[in-house]
Coordinates of all heavy atoms in Angstrom, one line a residue:
M1 N 6.4 1.5 -4.8 CA 5.4 0.8 -5.6 C 4.0 1.4 -5.3 O 3.7 1.6 -4.1 CB 5.4 -0.7 -5.2 CG 4.4 -1.5 -5.9 SD 4.3 -3.3 -5.4 CE 5.8 -3.9 -6.2
V2 N 3.2 1.6 -6.2 CA 1.8 2.1 -6.0 C 0.9 0.8 -6.1 O 1.3 -0.2 -6.6 CB 1.4 3.2 -6.9 CG1 2.3 4.4 -6.7 CG2 1.4 2.7 -8.3
V3 N -0.3 1.0 -5.6 CA -1.2 -0.1 -5.5 C -1.5 -0.7 -6.9 O -1.5 -1.9 -7.1 CB -2.6 0.2 -4.9 CG1 -3.6 -0.9 -5.0 CG2 -2.3 0.5 -3.4
D4 N -1.6 0.1 -7.9 CA -1.9 -0.4 -9.3 C -0.8 -1.3 -9.7 O -1.0 -2.3 -10.5 CB -2.0 0.8 -10.3 CG -3.4 1.5 -10.1 OD1 -4.3 0.9 -9.5 OD2 -3.5 2.6 -10.6
D5 N 0.5 -1.1 -9.3 CA 1.6 -2.0 -9.7 C 1.4 -3.4 -9.1 O 2.0 -4.3 -9.6 CB 2.9 -1.4 -9.2 CG 3.3 -0.2 -10.1 OD1 2.8 0.0 -11.2 OD2 4.1 0.7 -9.6
L6 N 0.7 -3.4 -8.0 CA 0.6 -4.7 -7.3 C -0.1 -5.7 -8.1 O 0.2 -6.9 -8.1 CB -0.3 -4.4 -6.0 CG -0.3 -5.5 -4.9 CD1 1.1 -5.8 -4.4 CD2 -1.2 -5.1 -3.8
F7 N -1.0 -5.3 -9.0 CA -1.7 -6.2 -9.8 C -0.8 -7.0 -10.9 O -1.2 -8.0 -11.4 CB -2.9 -5.5 -10.6 CG -4.0 -5.2 -9.6 CD1 -4.1 -4.0 -9.0 CD2 -5.0 -6.2 -9.3 CE1 -5.1 -3.7 -8.1 CE2 -6.0 -5.9 -8.4 CZ -6.1 -4.6 -7.8
K8 N 0.4 -6.4 -11.1 CA 1.3 -7.1 -12.0 C 1.8 -8.4 -11.4 O 2.3 -9.2 -12.0 CB 2.5 -6.2 -12.4 CG 2.1 -4.9 -13.1 CD 3.4 -4.0 -13.3 CE 3.0 -2.6 -13.8 NZ 4.1 -1.7 -13.6
F9 N 1.8 -8.4 -10.0 CA 2.4 -9.5 -9.3 C 1.3 -10.3 -8.6 O 1.6 -11.0 -7.6 CB 3.4 -9.0 -8.3 CG 4.4 -8.1 -8.8 CD1 4.3 -6.7 -8.7 CD2 5.5 -8.6 -9.5 CE1 5.3 -5.9 -9.3 CE2 6.5 -7.8 -10.0 CZ 6.4 -6.5 -9.9
T10 N 0.1 -10.2 -9.0 CA -1.0 -10.8 -8.4 C -1.9 -11.6 -9.3 O -2.1 -11.2 -10.4 CB -1.9 -9.6 -7.7 OG1 -1.1 -8.8 -6.9 CG2 -3.1 -10.2 -6.9
S11 N -2.4 -12.7 -8.8 CA -3.3 -13.5 -9.6 C -4.5 -13.9 -8.7 O -4.4 -13.8 -7.5 CB -2.7 -14.7 -10.2 OG -2.2 -15.6 -9.2
F12 N -5.6 -14.3 -9.3 CA -6.8 -14.6 -8.6 C -7.4 -15.9 -9.0 O -7.4 -16.2 -10.2 CB -7.8 -13.5 -8.8 CG -7.4 -12.1 -8.4 CD1 -6.7 -11.3 -9.3 CD2 -7.7 -11.7 -7.1 CE1 -6.3 -10.0 -8.9 CE2 -7.2 -10.4 -6.7 CZ -6.6 -9.6 -7.6
M13 N -7.8 -16.7 -8.0 CA -8.6 -17.8 -8.3 C -10.0 -17.5 -7.8 O -10.3 -17.4 -6.6 CB -8.1 -19.1 -7.5 CG -7.0 -19.8 -8.2 SD -7.6 -20.8 -9.5 CE -8.4 -22.1 -8.6
V14 N -10.9 -17.2 -8.8 CA -12.2 -16.6 -8.5 C -13.2 -17.7 -8.2 O -13.5 -18.5 -9.1 CB -12.7 -15.7 -9.6 CG1 -14.0 -15.1 -9.3 CG2 -11.6 -14.5 -9.8
H15 N -13.8 -17.7 -7.1 CA -14.9 -18.6 -6.8 C -16.2 -18.1 -7.3 O -16.4 -16.8 -7.5 CB -15.0 -18.8 -5.2 CG -15.8 -20.0 -4.8 ND1 -17.2 -19.9 -4.8 CD2 -15.5 -21.2 -4.4 CE1 -17.7 -21.1 -4.4 NE2 -16.6 -21.9 -4.2
E16 N -17.1 -18.9 -7.7 CA -18.4 -18.5 -8.3 C -19.2 -17.7 -7.3 O -20.1 -16.9 -7.7 CB -19.2 -19.7 -8.8 CG -19.5 -20.7 -7.8 CD -20.2 -21.9 -8.4 OE1 -20.6 -21.8 -9.6 OE2 -20.3 -22.9 -7.7
E17 N -19.0 -17.9 -6.0 CA -19.8 -17.2 -5.0 C -18.9 -16.1 -4.3 O -17.8 -16.5 -3.9 CB -20.3 -18.2 -3.9 CG -21.3 -19.1 -4.3 CD -22.6 -18.5 -4.6 OE1 -22.9 -17.4 -4.0 OE2 -23.3 -18.9 -5.6
P18 N -19.3 -14.9 -4.2 CA -18.5 -13.9 -3.5 C -18.3 -14.2 -2.0 O -19.3 -14.7 -1.4 CB -19.3 -12.6 -3.8 CG -20.6 -13.0 -4.1 CD -20.6 -14.3 -4.7
S19 N -17.2 -14.0 -1.5 CA -17.0 -14.2 -0.1 C -17.4 -13.0 0.8 O -17.5 -13.1 2.0 CB -15.5 -14.5 0.2 OG -14.7 -13.4 -0.3
I20 N -17.6 -11.9 0.1 CA -18.1 -10.6 0.8 C -19.5 -10.3 0.2 O -19.6 -10.3 -1.0 CB -17.2 -9.5 0.5 CG1 -15.7 -9.8 1.0 CG2 -17.7 -8.2 1.2 CD1 -14.7 -8.7 0.6
R21 N -20.4 -10.1 1.1 CA -21.8 -9.8 0.6 C -22.1 -8.4 1.1 O -21.8 -8.0 2.3 CB -22.8 -10.8 1.1 CG -22.5 -12.2 0.4 CD -23.6 -13.2 0.7 NE -23.2 -14.5 0.2 CZ -23.5 -14.9 -1.1 NH1 -24.0 -14.0 -1.9 NH2 -23.1 -16.0 -1.5
V22 N -22.8 -7.6 0.3 CA -23.2 -6.2 0.6 C -24.7 -6.1 0.8 O -25.5 -6.6 0.0 CB -22.8 -5.3 -0.6 CG1 -23.1 -3.9 -0.3 CG2 -21.3 -5.5 -0.9
N23 N -25.1 -5.5 1.9 CA -26.5 -5.3 2.2 C -26.9 -4.0 1.5 O -26.6 -2.9 2.0 CB -26.7 -5.2 3.8 CG -28.1 -5.0 4.1 OD1 -28.9 -4.4 3.4 ND2 -28.6 -5.6 5.2
Q24 N -27.5 -4.2 0.4 CA -27.8 -3.0 -0.4 C -28.8 -2.0 0.2 O -28.7 -0.8 0.0 CB -28.4 -3.5 -1.8 CG -27.4 -4.3 -2.6 CD -26.3 -3.4 -3.2 OE1 -26.3 -2.1 -3.2 NE2 -25.2 -4.0 -3.7
S25 N -29.7 -2.5 1.0 CA -30.7 -1.5 1.6 C -29.9 -0.6 2.6 O -30.2 0.5 2.8 CB -31.8 -2.3 2.3 OG -31.4 -3.2 3.2
T26 N -28.9 -1.2 3.3 CA -28.1 -0.4 4.2 C -27.3 0.6 3.4 O -27.2 1.8 3.8 CB -27.2 -1.3 5.1 OG1 -28.0 -2.2 5.8 CG2 -26.4 -0.5 6.0
C27 N -26.7 0.2 2.4 CA -25.9 1.1 1.6 C -26.7 2.2 1.0 O -26.2 3.3 0.8 CB -25.2 0.3 0.4 SG -24.0 -0.9 1.0
A28 N -27.9 2.0 0.6 CA -28.7 3.0 0.0 C -28.9 4.2 0.9 O -29.1 5.3 0.5 CB -30.1 2.4 -0.4
G29 N -28.9 3.9 2.3 CA -29.0 5.0 3.2 C -27.7 5.5 3.8 O -27.7 6.4 4.7
C30 N -26.6 5.1 3.2 CA -25.3 5.5 3.7 C -24.9 6.8 3.1 O -25.0 7.0 1.9 CB -24.2 4.4 3.3 SG -22.5 4.9 3.7
D31 N -24.6 7.8 3.9 CA -24.3 9.2 3.4 C -22.8 9.4 3.0 O -22.5 10.5 2.5 CB -24.8 10.2 4.4 CG -24.1 10.1 5.7 OD1 -23.3 9.2 5.9 OD2 -24.4 10.9 6.6
H32 N -22.0 8.4 3.2 CA -20.6 8.7 2.9 C -20.0 7.8 1.8 O -19.0 8.1 1.1 CB -19.7 8.8 4.1 CG -19.8 7.5 5.0 ND1 -19.3 6.3 4.6 CD2 -20.3 7.3 6.2 CE1 -19.5 5.4 5.5 NE2 -20.1 6.0 6.5
K33 N -20.5 6.6 1.7 CA -20.1 5.6 0.7 C -18.5 5.5 0.8 O -17.9 5.5 -0.3 CB -20.5 6.0 -0.7 CG -22.0 6.4 -0.8 CD -22.9 5.2 -0.9 CE -24.3 5.6 -1.3 NZ -25.1 6.4 -0.4
A34 N -18.0 5.4 2.0 CA -16.6 5.4 2.2 C -15.9 4.2 1.4 O -14.7 4.3 1.0 CB -16.2 5.3 3.7
C35 N -16.6 3.1 1.3 CA -16.0 2.0 0.7 C -15.6 2.3 -0.8 O -14.6 1.7 -1.3 CB -16.9 0.8 0.7 SG -18.6 1.2 -0.1
T36 N -16.3 3.2 -1.4 CA -16.0 3.5 -2.8 C -14.7 4.3 -2.9 O -14.1 4.5 -4.0 CB -17.1 4.3 -3.5 OG1 -17.3 5.6 -2.8 CG2 -18.4 3.5 -3.4
F37 N -14.2 4.9 -1.8 CA -13.0 5.7 -1.8 C -11.7 4.9 -1.3 O -10.6 5.2 -1.7 CB -13.1 7.0 -0.9 CG -14.2 7.8 -1.4 CD1 -15.4 7.9 -0.7 CD2 -14.1 8.6 -2.5 CE1 -16.5 8.7 -1.1 CE2 -15.1 9.4 -3.0 CZ -16.3 9.5 -2.3
V38 N -12.0 4.0 -0.4 CA -10.8 3.4 0.3 C -10.4 2.1 -0.3 O -9.2 1.6 0.0 CB -11.1 3.2 1.8 CG1 -11.5 4.5 2.5 CG2 -12.2 2.1 2.0
C39 N -11.2 1.4 -1.0 CA -10.8 0.1 -1.5 C -9.7 0.2 -2.6 O -9.8 0.8 -3.6 CB -12.0 -0.6 -2.2 SG -11.5 -2.2 -3.0
P40 N -8.5 -0.4 -2.3 CA -7.4 -0.2 -3.2 C -7.6 -0.9 -4.5 O -6.9 -0.6 -5.5 CB -6.2 -0.9 -2.4 CG -6.9 -1.8 -1.5 CD -8.2 -1.2 -1.1
A41 N -8.5 -1.9 -4.6 CA -8.8 -2.6 -5.8 C -10.0 -2.0 -6.5 O -10.4 -2.5 -7.6 CB -9.0 -4.0 -5.5
R42 N -10.6 -1.0 -6.0 CA -11.8 -0.3 -6.6 C -12.9 -1.3 -6.8 O -13.5 -1.3 -7.9 CB -11.4 0.4 -7.9 CG -10.3 1.4 -7.7 CD -10.0 2.2 -9.0 NE -8.8 3.1 -8.9 CZ -7.6 2.8 -9.3 NH1 -7.4 1.6 -9.9 NH2 -6.6 3.6 -9.1
C43 N -13.2 -2.1 -5.9 CA -14.2 -3.1 -6.0 C -15.6 -2.5 -5.8 O -16.6 -3.1 -6.3 CB -14.0 -4.2 -4.9 SG -12.5 -5.2 -5.2
Y44 N -15.7 -1.3 -5.2 CA -17.0 -0.7 -4.9 C -17.2 0.5 -5.8 O -16.3 1.4 -5.8 CB -17.1 -0.3 -3.4 CG -17.0 -1.4 -2.4 CD1 -15.8 -1.8 -2.0 CD2 -18.1 -2.0 -1.9 CE1 -15.7 -2.8 -1.0 CE2 -18.1 -3.0 -1.0 CZ -16.8 -3.4 -0.5 OH -16.7 -4.4 0.4
Q45 N -18.3 0.5 -6.4 CA -18.8 1.7 -7.2 C -20.2 2.0 -6.8 O -21.0 1.1 -6.8 CB -18.6 1.5 -8.7 CG -17.3 1.1 -9.2 CD -16.3 2.3 -9.3 OE1 -16.8 3.4 -9.6 NE2 -15.0 2.0 -9.1
W46 N -20.5 3.3 -6.6 CA -21.9 3.7 -6.4 C -22.6 3.9 -7.7 O -22.1 4.6 -8.5 CB -22.0 4.9 -5.5 CG -23.4 5.4 -5.4 CD1 -23.9 6.6 -5.9 CD2 -24.5 4.8 -4.7 NE1 -25.2 6.7 -5.5 CE2 -25.6 5.6 -4.8 CE3 -24.6 3.6 -4.0 CZ2 -26.8 5.3 -4.3 CZ3 -25.8 3.3 -3.4 CH2 -26.9 4.1 -3.6
N47 N -23.7 3.2 -7.9 CA -24.4 3.3 -9.2 C -25.6 4.2 -8.9 O -26.6 3.8 -8.3 CB -24.9 1.9 -9.6 CG -25.6 1.9 -10.9 OD1 -26.3 2.8 -11.2 ND2 -25.3 0.8 -11.7
E48 N -25.5 5.4 -9.3 CA -26.5 6.4 -9.0 C -27.8 6.1 -9.7 O -28.9 6.3 -9.1 CB -26.0 7.8 -9.4 CG -27.0 9.0 -9.1 CD -27.2 9.2 -7.6 OE1 -26.3 8.9 -6.8 OE2 -28.3 9.6 -7.3
E49 N -27.8 5.6 -10.9 CA -29.0 5.3 -11.6 C -29.8 4.2 -10.9 O -31.0 4.2 -10.7 CB -28.7 4.8 -13.0 CG -29.8 4.7 -13.9 CD -29.4 4.3 -15.3 OE1 -28.3 4.8 -15.7 OE2 -30.1 3.6 -16.0
R50 N -29.1 3.1 -10.5 CA -29.8 2.0 -9.8 C -29.8 2.2 -8.3 O -30.5 1.3 -7.6 CB -29.1 0.7 -10.2 CG -29.1 0.4 -11.7 CD -28.4 -0.9 -12.0 NE -29.1 -2.0 -11.5 CZ -28.6 -3.2 -11.3 NH1 -27.4 -3.5 -11.7 NH2 -29.4 -4.2 -10.8
R51 N -29.2 3.2 -7.8 CA -29.2 3.5 -6.4 C -28.7 2.3 -5.6 O -29.3 1.8 -4.6 CB -30.6 3.9 -5.9 CG -31.3 5.0 -6.6 CD -30.6 6.4 -6.3 NE -30.6 6.7 -4.9 CZ -29.9 7.7 -4.4 NH1 -29.0 8.4 -5.1 NH2 -30.0 7.9 -3.1
R52 N -27.6 1.8 -6.0 CA -27.0 0.6 -5.3 C -25.5 0.6 -5.5 O -24.9 1.3 -6.3 CB -27.6 -0.7 -5.8 CG -27.4 -0.9 -7.3 CD -27.8 -2.3 -7.7 NE -26.7 -3.2 -7.4 CZ -26.9 -4.5 -6.9 NH1 -28.1 -4.9 -6.7 NH2 -25.9 -5.2 -6.7
I53 N -24.8 -0.1 -4.6 CA -23.4 -0.4 -4.8 C -23.2 -1.5 -5.8 O -23.7 -2.6 -5.6 CB -22.8 -0.8 -3.4 CG1 -22.8 0.4 -2.4 CG2 -21.4 -1.4 -3.6 CD1 -21.7 1.5 -2.7
D54 N -22.4 -1.3 -6.8 CA -21.9 -2.3 -7.7 C -20.6 -2.8 -7.1 O -19.7 -2.1 -6.9 CB -21.7 -1.8 -9.1 CG -22.9 -1.4 -9.8 OD1 -24.0 -1.9 -9.4 OD2 -22.8 -0.6 -10.7
F55 N -20.6 -4.1 -6.7 CA -19.5 -4.7 -6.1 C -18.9 -5.8 -6.9 O -19.5 -6.8 -7.3 CB -19.9 -5.3 -4.7 CG -18.8 -6.0 -4.0 CD1 -17.7 -5.3 -3.6 CD2 -18.9 -7.3 -3.6 CE1 -16.6 -5.9 -2.9 CE2 -17.9 -7.9 -2.9 CZ -16.8 -7.3 -2.6
A56 N -17.6 -5.6 -7.3 CA -16.9 -6.5 -8.1 C -15.8 -7.2 -7.2 O -14.8 -6.7 -6.9 CB -16.2 -5.8 -9.3
Y57 N -16.2 -8.4 -6.8 CA -15.4 -9.1 -5.8 C -14.2 -9.8 -6.4 O -13.2 -10.2 -5.7 CB -16.2 -10.1 -5.0 CG -16.6 -11.3 -5.8 CD1 -15.9 -12.5 -5.7 CD2 -17.7 -11.3 -6.7 CE1 -16.2 -13.7 -6.5 CE2 -18.0 -12.4 -7.4 CZ -17.3 -13.6 -7.3 OH -17.6 -14.7 -8.1
E58 N -14.2 -9.9 -7.7 CA -13.2 -10.8 -8.4 C -11.7 -10.4 -8.2 O -10.8 -11.2 -8.3 CB -13.5 -10.9 -9.9 CG -14.8 -11.5 -10.3 CD -16.0 -10.6 -10.2 OE1 -15.9 -9.4 -9.7 OE2 -17.1 -11.0 -10.7
Q59 N -11.5 -9.1 -8.0 CA -10.1 -8.6 -7.8 C -9.9 -8.1 -6.3 O -9.1 -7.2 -6.1 CB -9.8 -7.5 -8.8 CG -9.7 -8.1 -10.2 CD -8.9 -7.3 -11.1 OE1 -8.5 -6.1 -10.9 NE2 -8.5 -7.8 -12.3
C60 N -10.6 -8.6 -5.4 CA -10.5 -8.3 -4.0 C -9.1 -8.7 -3.5 O -8.7 -9.9 -3.7 CB -11.6 -8.9 -3.2 SG -11.3 -8.7 -1.4
L61 N -8.4 -7.8 -2.9 CA -7.1 -8.1 -2.3 C -7.1 -8.6 -0.9 O -6.0 -8.9 -0.3 CB -6.2 -6.8 -2.4 CG -6.0 -6.3 -3.8 CD1 -5.3 -4.9 -3.7 CD2 -5.1 -7.2 -4.6
E62 N -8.3 -8.8 -0.4 CA -8.5 -9.3 1.0 C -7.7 -8.5 2.1 O -7.2 -9.1 3.0 CB -8.0 -10.8 1.0 CG -8.8 -11.7 0.0 CD -8.2 -13.1 -0.1 OE1 -7.6 -13.6 0.8 OE2 -8.4 -13.6 -1.2
C63 N -7.7 -7.2 1.9 CA -7.0 -6.4 2.8 C -7.9 -6.0 4.1 O -7.3 -5.6 5.1 CB -6.6 -5.0 2.2 SG -8.0 -4.0 1.7
G64 N -9.2 -6.1 3.9 CA -10.0 -5.9 5.1 C -10.4 -4.4 5.3 O -11.1 -4.1 6.3
T65 N -9.9 -3.5 4.5 CA -10.2 -2.1 4.7 C -11.6 -1.7 4.6 O -12.1 -0.9 5.4 CB -9.4 -1.3 3.6 OG1 -8.0 -1.6 3.6 CG2 -9.5 0.2 3.9
C66 N -12.4 -2.3 3.7 CA -13.8 -2.0 3.6 C -14.5 -2.4 4.9 O -15.4 -1.7 5.3 CB -14.4 -2.7 2.4 SG -14.1 -4.5 2.3
L67 N -14.2 -3.5 5.5 CA -14.8 -4.0 6.7 C -14.5 -3.0 7.8 O -15.4 -2.7 8.7 CB -14.3 -5.4 7.1 CG -14.9 -6.0 8.3 CD1 -16.4 -6.1 8.2 CD2 -14.3 -7.3 8.6
L68 N -13.3 -2.5 7.9 CA -12.9 -1.5 8.9 C -13.7 -0.2 8.7 O -14.1 0.5 9.7 CB -11.4 -1.2 8.9 CG -10.5 -2.4 9.4 CD1 -9.1 -2.1 9.2 CD2 -10.8 -2.6 10.9
I69 N -13.8 0.2 7.5 CA -14.4 1.6 7.2 C -15.9 1.7 7.3 O -16.5 2.7 7.5 CB -13.8 2.1 5.9 CG1 -13.8 3.7 5.9 CG2 -14.6 1.6 4.7 CD1 -12.8 4.3 6.7
C70 N -16.5 0.5 7.0 CA -18.0 0.5 7.0 C -18.5 0.6 8.4 O -18.5 -0.4 9.1 CB -18.5 -0.7 6.3 SG -20.3 -0.7 6.2
D71 N -19.1 1.7 8.8 CA -19.6 1.9 10.1 C -21.1 1.6 10.2 O -21.8 1.9 11.2 CB -19.4 3.3 10.6 CG -20.0 4.4 9.7 OD1 -20.6 4.0 8.6 OD2 -19.9 5.6 10.0
R72 N -21.7 0.9 9.2 CA -23.1 0.6 9.1 C -23.3 -0.9 9.3 O -24.5 -1.3 9.2 CB -23.7 1.1 7.8 CG -23.4 2.5 7.4 CD -24.1 3.5 8.3 NE -23.5 4.8 8.1 CZ -24.1 5.9 7.7 NH1 -25.4 5.8 7.3 NH2 -23.5 7.0 7.7
G73 N -22.3 -1.7 9.3 CA -22.4 -3.1 9.4 C -23.1 -3.7 8.1 O -23.8 -4.7 8.2
A74 N -22.8 -3.1 7.0 CA -23.4 -3.5 5.7 C -22.7 -4.7 5.1 O -23.2 -5.3 4.1 CB -23.5 -2.4 4.7
L75 N -21.6 -5.1 5.6 CA -20.8 -6.1 4.9 C -20.8 -7.4 5.7 O -20.5 -7.5 6.9 CB -19.3 -5.6 4.7 CG -19.2 -4.4 3.9 CD1 -17.7 -4.0 3.8 CD2 -19.8 -4.5 2.5
D76 N -21.1 -8.5 5.0 CA -20.8 -9.8 5.5 C -19.5 -10.3 4.9 O -19.5 -10.7 3.8 CB -22.0 -10.8 5.1 CG -21.8 -12.2 5.6 OD1 -20.9 -12.4 6.4 OD2 -22.6 -13.0 5.2
W77 N -18.4 -10.1 5.7 CA -17.1 -10.2 5.1 C -16.4 -11.6 5.5 O -16.3 -11.9 6.7 CB -16.2 -9.1 5.7 CG -15.0 -8.8 4.9 CD1 -14.8 -7.7 4.0 CD2 -13.7 -9.5 5.0 NE1 -13.5 -7.8 3.5 CE2 -12.8 -8.8 4.1 CE3 -13.3 -10.6 5.7 CZ2 -11.5 -9.2 3.9 CZ3 -12.0 -11.0 5.5 CH2 -11.1 -10.3 4.6
N78 N -16.0 -12.3 4.6 CA -15.3 -13.6 4.9 C -14.1 -13.7 3.9 O -14.2 -13.2 2.8 CB -16.2 -14.7 4.7 CG -17.4 -14.7 5.6 OD1 -17.3 -15.0 6.8 ND2 -18.5 -14.2 5.1
Y79 N -13.1 -14.4 4.3 CA -12.1 -14.8 3.3 C -12.7 -15.8 2.4 O -13.6 -16.6 2.7 CB -10.9 -15.4 4.0 CG -10.0 -14.4 4.7 CD1 -10.0 -14.3 6.1 CD2 -9.2 -13.6 4.0 CE1 -9.2 -13.4 6.8 CE2 -8.4 -12.6 4.6 CZ -8.4 -12.6 6.0 OH -7.6 -11.6 6.7
P80 N -12.2 -15.9 1.2 CA -12.6 -16.9 0.2 C -12.3 -18.3 0.8 O -11.4 -18.5 1.6 CB -11.8 -16.7 -1.1 CG -11.3 -15.3 -0.9 CD -11.2 -15.0 0.5
V81 N -13.1 -19.3 0.3 CA -12.8 -20.7 0.8 C -11.5 -21.1 0.3 O -10.9 -20.5 -0.7 CB -13.9 -21.6 0.3 CG1 -15.3 -21.3 0.9 CG2 -14.0 -21.6 -1.2
G82 N -11.0 -22.2 0.9 CA -9.6 -22.6 0.7 C -9.2 -22.7 -0.8 O -10.0 -23.4 -1.6
G83 N -8.1 -22.2 -1.2 CA -7.6 -22.3 -2.5 C -8.1 -21.2 -3.5 O -7.5 -21.1 -4.6
F84 N -9.1 -20.4 -3.0 CA -9.6 -19.4 -3.9 C -9.1 -18.0 -3.3 O -8.6 -17.9 -2.2 CB -11.1 -19.4 -3.9 CG -11.6 -20.6 -4.7 CD1 -11.8 -21.8 -4.1 CD2 -11.8 -20.4 -6.1 CE1 -12.3 -22.9 -4.8 CE2 -12.3 -21.5 -6.8 CZ -12.5 -22.8 -6.2
G85 N -9.3 -17.0 -4.2 CA -8.9 -15.6 -3.8 C -7.6 -15.2 -4.4 O -7.2 -15.7 -5.4
V86 N -7.0 -14.2 -3.7 CA -5.8 -13.6 -4.2 C -4.6 -14.4 -3.9 O -4.5 -15.1 -2.9 CB -5.7 -12.1 -3.6 CG1 -5.4 -12.2 -2.1 CG2 -4.6 -11.3 -4.4
R87 N -3.6 -14.3 -4.9 CA -2.3 -14.9 -4.7 C -1.3 -13.8 -5.0 O -1.2 -13.3 -6.1 CB -2.1 -16.1 -5.6 CG -3.0 -17.2 -5.3 CD -2.8 -18.4 -6.2 NE -3.7 -19.4 -5.9 CZ -3.8 -20.6 -6.6 NH1 -3.0 -20.7 -7.6 NH2 -4.7 -21.5 -6.3
F88 N -0.5 -13.5 -4.0 CA 0.6 -12.4 -4.2 C 1.9 -13.1 -4.5 O 2.2 -14.2 -4.0 CB 0.7 -11.6 -2.9 CG -0.5 -10.8 -2.5 CD1 -1.2 -11.2 -1.4 CD2 -0.9 -9.7 -3.2 CE1 -2.4 -10.5 -1.1 CE2 -2.0 -9.0 -2.9 CZ -2.7 -9.4 -1.8
R89 N 2.6 -12.5 -5.4 CA 3.9 -13.0 -5.8 C 4.8 -11.8 -5.9 O 4.9 -11.1 -6.9 CB 3.9 -13.8 -7.1 CG 5.3 -14.3 -7.5 CD 5.1 -15.1 -8.8 NE 4.6 -14.3 -9.9 CZ 5.3 -13.4 -10.6 NH1 6.6 -13.2 -10.4 NH2 4.8 -12.7 -11.6
L90 N 5.5 -11.5 -4.7 CA 6.2 -10.2 -4.6 C 7.7 -10.5 -4.7 O 8.6 -9.6 -4.7 CB 5.9 -9.5 -3.4 CG 4.4 -9.0 -3.3 CD1 4.2 -8.3 -2.0 CD2 4.1 -8.0 -4.4
T91 N 8.2 -11.7 -4.8 CA 9.6 -12.0 -4.9 C 9.9 -12.7 -6.2 O 9.0 -13.3 -6.9 CB 10.0 -12.9 -3.7 OG1 9.3 -14.1 -3.7 CG2 9.9 -12.2 -2.4
Ligands
SF4_101 S1 -20.6 -0.8 2.3 FE1 -20.7 0.5 4.2 S2 -19.5 2.3 3.6 FE2 -20.0 1.3 1.7 S3 -21.9 2.2 1.0 FE3 -22.5 0.4 2.2 S4 -22.9 1.2 4.2 FE4 -21.7 2.7 3.2
SF4_102 S1 -11.1 -6.4 1.4 FE1 -9.8 -4.7 0.5 S2 -9.6 -5.1 -1.7 FE2 -11.2 -6.5 -0.9 S3 -13.1 -5.3 -1.3 FE3 -12.4 -4.8 0.8 S4 -11.2 -2.9 0.6 FE4 -11.4 -3.8 -1.4

């Protein structure tokens, strides 16, 4: 199974407030933008025109990879509040 297939078995309860917040001023000075490569849900995109990270939290898989890879401390990372976020159904 590849990651894209995972979305066939996944649903989301999206809270109006993102549980992960991005410090845009830190990201603007980041020379590798690793989050844009490692996120399996492609939540992070570098917007060259606006010089900022566009972050789409709605399909976050809560894997924690972005928190591990960000060496600048730019992320305020939390799980969604109870009942919200990703729901996996693999069986
Ligand atoms: S979240 Fe971290 S890795 Fe991603 S652009 Fe910002 S500073 Fe860089
Ligand atoms: S926790 Fe995982 S899926 Fe969610 S934004 Fe970070 S890398 Fe992407």
Side-chain angles (χ1 to χ4, degrees):
M1 178 185 288
V2 298
V3 171
D4 285 343
D5 290 338
L6 194 60
F7 286 94
K8 298 175 191 165
F9 306 99
T10 305
S11 61
F12 299 88
M13 276 285 289
V14 179
H15 195 279
E16 59 187 345
E17 293 290 328
S19 59
I20 303 171
R21 295 185 185 278
V22 181
N23 183 323
Q24 294 291 347
S25 58
T26 302
C27 295
C30 176
D31 58 359
H32 54 69
K33 312 280 191 296
C35 57
T36 65
F37 301 104
V38 300
C39 174
R42 303 185 187 99
C43 294
Y44 296 88
Q45 301 283 329
W46 174 245
N47 185 323
E48 182 63 31
E49 188 177 330
R50 298 182 66 198
R51 306 289 302 165
R52 56 170 282 141
I53 290 285
D54 291 336
F55 177 58
Y57 72 98
E58 294 86 349
Q59 295 203 343
C60 171
L61 298 169
E62 301 170 28
C63 67
T65 306
C66 54
L67 181 62
L68 288 173
I69 205 73
C70 179
D71 57 0
R72 314 286 165 120
L75 301 179
D76 178 10
W77 199 103
N78 299 281
Y79 285 108
V81 294
F84 288 89
V86 67
R87 293 177 183 179
F88 297 107
R89 181 177 58 80
L90 297 177
T91 56

